[in-house]
Amino acid sequence: MNSTILEAKSISKSFNDPIKVDVLTDVNFTIQKGEFVSLTGKSGCGKSTLLYILSTMDTSYDGSLFIDQIIMPKENEQFLAEIRNKKIGFVFQFHYLLNEFNVLENVMLPGLKLNKYSREEVEHRAMEKLKILDIDKLALKKSFRISGGEKQRVAIARALINDPMIIMGDEPTGNLDKKNGDLVLDIFKELSGSFNQTLLIVTHDPSFAEKTDRIIRMEDGRIIS
Amino acid sequence: MKYKLLVSIAKSLLLARWKQTLVAAVGVTFSITMFITLLGFMSGLNDLLDGLILNRTPHIRLFNDIKPNLNQPINIHPDFTHSHNFISSIKSESNRQAIYNSIAISTRIKNDKRVIGFSPKITAQIFFNEGSVDVTGAINGIDYNEESRLFHFNEYITSGNAEDLDKIANSIVLGKGLAKILLADIGDIVYISTSNGERFQLKVVGIFQSGLGDIDKTQSFASVGTVQKILSKSNSYITEIQIKLNDIGMAPAMAKEYEALFETDAEDIQTANSQFETGSSVRTIISYAVGITLLIVAGFGIYNILNMMIFEKMDSIAILKATGFSGKDVQTIFLMIALSIGLFGGLLGLVFGFGLSSAIDQIPFNTPSLPTVKTYPINYAPIFYTIGIIFSLITTFLAGWFPSRKASKVDPVVIIRGK
Ligand SMILES: Nc1ncnc2c1ncn2[C@@H]1O[C@H](COP(=O)(O)OP(=O)(O)O)[C@@H](O)[C@H]1O
Ligand SMILES: [Mg+2]
């Protein structure tokens, strides 16, 4: 049985600003269910650009992208928003929590948007995710009143709320100190190990990459291994 | 469920910036307050002025004008019926001013469903004899009850008992200016003479004041019977029938119809008083223009606050879009913010507008020409309040449209890359 979660087929991208620069050239790879993949390479080699394409947020590229074996259209904004909501969880370098809401509400937002469970159920599920990440005590705190490491963990809980097929991260430990960075890595390892969660994490930290199942290396917009 | 979530996000964003939001809402409140007050006051004034003339003016008047006969003999002559005949120096025939067949006409009008009522009238030129001086004036024979019911005659009686016109034989109500000239008061006897030279004594039972000086100086009223007697005419003699309609808009058409049907002259109120409508509509236009101008200013306030909010909330918009909210959802959120400012500010504006109107309504406004009016006139028509709230919603919607569209177009990649 085929359990490919994500497939990139000859994806290329260039910026025309001010002259034509090829950022990605003929990128091909697949990710299977349960894999913990890291994407590494020097700064500026195109990792983030690739991740934004894989996450469906950037639609101006050549080639095709399949998520859950469905080809992603490049026009249908509404459809792509639903895909992101249902199938992809994000963790960025910056946490992007909404200051107007408390921790629990921040985690619940994508769950409420999904509109699959009742509000009570979404709240219950959000609490469970917070417990997994050991921050359930912070549930009712305003999101700007917690520490940087805690914020990033809340962001991970938010990424998990809809049980996504894949979690994508763009240098999620980039803003954290060693201790918190390690903590986040441990969390990813646990999600991968205990919950068979598929992850694709961009990093330029070799020690982080080494702890993952598989490393995709990039150089000048190409995959080299 | 879907909108509930967007509403709660909109609410949180709004409350987080409640001071600016309040300022924007106050702008809307102010303009709606002024809008309601101005419209209420202006249309109160319109009603007052309309009341001054239009309420007392019949919607259709039937009468016989003195004019040359249109069917001159030469036109009837078989040799000339098909030619164009030039006749000079035609004289008006001595036709009577009375309406022929007034009784049949009355019955016909009475059965017309479009008519509220009518009252007969006789107008005659007379002289008031004050010592050796003759004052020119007019006496109007009226049916006091109908005249009051349809044309508010009773509201303009400032002293005396005008009902006595029907009860006391040979009684008269004088215009205030006329009474002053004749030095006559209630209970006094005035002497009049007709154009035929006949003299009569009439007892003053009331004084009226219309607010129009010229009328008050020359006009007087008596019962139809009294005037018929003065003119020594039969009791079917009337010179005018005044008709009030259910729908004033039908007056021109019905005037034409009656003119043909009854073979009299018929004049509708629109033709007789066209200048009043112009004045009313100018006042209304001014009120709307001021209200809308204020609203546009308030709209810019909302536009600004939303732009600022969106600029500040770029990160939030980016993550909402990254986690599955569509551009449309984001647009809805910011439109909701704009509309709730409009709704809240607008409703408050209605309340304040009502308050300010009521305050103006308390200010004394005494003018000798308007005996029934004691304070500044205000119209509280619900339509102004409806228009006010609709306007405020439309303005805020438009003011919110462009910023919220901008928000919906925010590219999360650009924002996230910028961090
Ligand atoms: N909007 C843009 N216009 C032009 N060039 C861009 C733009 N965004 C990124 N780039 C370029 O694309 C290359 C890849 O960038 P990025 O994907 O952010 O690299 P990484 O994440 O691996 O550090 C860089 O050389 C960068 O300067
Ligand atoms: Mg990067």
Side-chain angles (χ1 to χ4, degrees), chain B residues 12 25 37 47 68 74-75 85 128 165 182 250 254 299 303-304 306 312-313 318 325 329 332 357 400 404 410 416-417:
Chain B
S12 309
T37 312
D47 296 347
I74 191 160
N75 294 333
N85 305 313
F128 293 93
L165 282 182
L182 300 176
M250 291 176 71
M254 286 180 64
Y303 177 82
N304 271 339
L306 275 184
E312 271 177 10
K313 293 292 163 205
F325 289 79
D329 293 335
T332 309
S357 303
S404 63
V410 165
I416 291 166
R417 208 181 255 292

Side-chain angles (χ1 to χ4, degrees), chain B residues 36-286:
Chain B
I36 293 292
T37 312
L38 256 171
L39 263 178
F41 187 44
M42 285 294 187
S43 79
L45 272 181
N46 277 348
D47 296 347
L48 182 108
L49 293 167
D50 285 356
L52 199 60
I53 295 295
L54 299 187
N55 269 354
R56 282 185 289 156
T57 313
H59 295 167
I60 298 176
R61 283 173 60 227
L62 302 180
F63 58 100
N64 269 339
D65 228 354
I66 297 178
K67 62 181 175 212
N69 195 330
L70 288 175
N71 272 333
Q72 293 294 325
I74 191 160
N75 294 333
I76 304 166
H77 192 283
D79 293 350
F80 298 104
T81 40
H82 295 292
S83 38
H84 197 94
N85 305 313
F86 292 92
I87 318 168
S88 52
S89 301
I90 309 180
K91 296 284 184 287
S92 299
E93 55 186 335
S94 67
N95 72 337
R96 39 185 233 173
Q97 274 173 273
I99 295 180
Y100 304 90
N101 239 340
S102 60
I103 295 171
I105 293 178
S106 301
T107 346
R108 174 71 178 72
I109 296 173
K110 204 175 280 171
N111 293 330
D112 195 324
K113 289 249 157 29
R114 298 167 294 182
V115 172
I116 294 179
F118 68 96
S119 75
K121 191 171 175 181
I122 308 170
T123 310
Q125 301 299 317
I126 51 166
F127 299 103
F128 293 93
N129 313 119
E130 160 66 12
S132 57
V133 189
D134 283 348
V135 180
T136 333
I139 189 161
N140 300 281
I142 56 164
D143 174 339
Y144 173 78
N145 289 322
E146 283 301 284
E147 193 76 15
S148 297
R149 179 170 80 89
L150 299 173
F151 307 115
H152 306 271
F153 180 66
N154 53 334
E155 284 178 20
Y156 300 93
I157 304 298
T158 53
S159 56
N161 275 321
E163 303 100 89
D164 290 348
L165 282 182
D166 288 342
K167 293 174 200 150
I168 300 174
N170 298 339
S171 56
I172 189 170
V173 169
L174 295 176
K176 189 163 191 176
L178 186 58
K180 210 167 168 188
I181 296 170
L182 300 176
L183 299 169
D185 209 342
I186 312 289
D188 291 353
I189 301 289
V190 292
Y191 298 89
I192 64 157
S193 52
T194 66
S195 51
N196 299 338
E198 289 189 55
R199 289 173 160 271
F200 284 89
Q201 302 181 12
L202 298 172
K203 187 176 177 195
V204 179
V205 293
I207 303 287
F208 85 95
Q209 187 179 24
S210 67
L212 300 175
D214 272 351
I215 290 182
D216 296 347
K217 256 190 222 159
T218 53
Q219 303 290 314
S220 65
F221 294 89
S223 69
V224 171
T226 305
V227 179
Q228 282 165 346
K229 199 160 77 188
I230 291 170
L231 300 176
S232 34
K233 300 284 187 184
S234 74
N235 63 0
S236 67
Y237 178 88
I238 50 173
T239 59
E240 194 175 322
I241 295 176
Q242 304 172 305
I243 305 169
K244 189 162 188 167
L245 305 178
N246 287 309
D247 177 9
I248 190 172
M250 291 176 71
M254 286 180 64
K256 283 213 180 67
E257 182 188 325
Y258 284 168
E259 194 160 6
L261 190 63
F262 302 140
E263 292 178 336
T264 62
D265 291 294
E267 186 181 55
D268 57 89
I269 188 167
Q270 282 83 349
T271 313
N273 293 286
S274 49
Q275 73 277 20
F276 280 95
E277 276 189 32
T278 321
S280 297
S281 59
V282 166
R283 276 185 292 274
T284 310
I285 288 171
I286 290 174

Side-chain angles (χ1 to χ4, degrees), chain A residues 47-48 170-171:
Chain A
K47 305 184 295 293
S48 297
D170 190 1
E171 316 223 14

Side-chain angles (χ1 to χ4, degrees), chain A residues 106-150:
Chain A
N106 264 287
V107 175
M108 286 167 66
L109 272 180
L112 294 171
K113 170 66 197 167
L114 183 65
N115 203 7
K116 183 173 161 191
Y117 304 103
S118 72
R119 193 181 173 88
E120 289 69 36
E121 280 171 288
V122 173
E123 189 172 326
H124 178 72
R125 290 165 57 83
M127 277 312 288
E128 273 183 354
K129 306 292 178 197
L130 288 174
K131 258 179 219 151
I132 293 172
L133 300 176
D134 203 21
I135 42 172
D136 48 321
K137 297 174 299 296
L138 305 177
L140 299 178
K141 284 211 168 177
K142 280 281 170 198
S143 57
F144 58 90
R145 292 203 184 278
I146 59 177
S147 77
E150 288 165 343

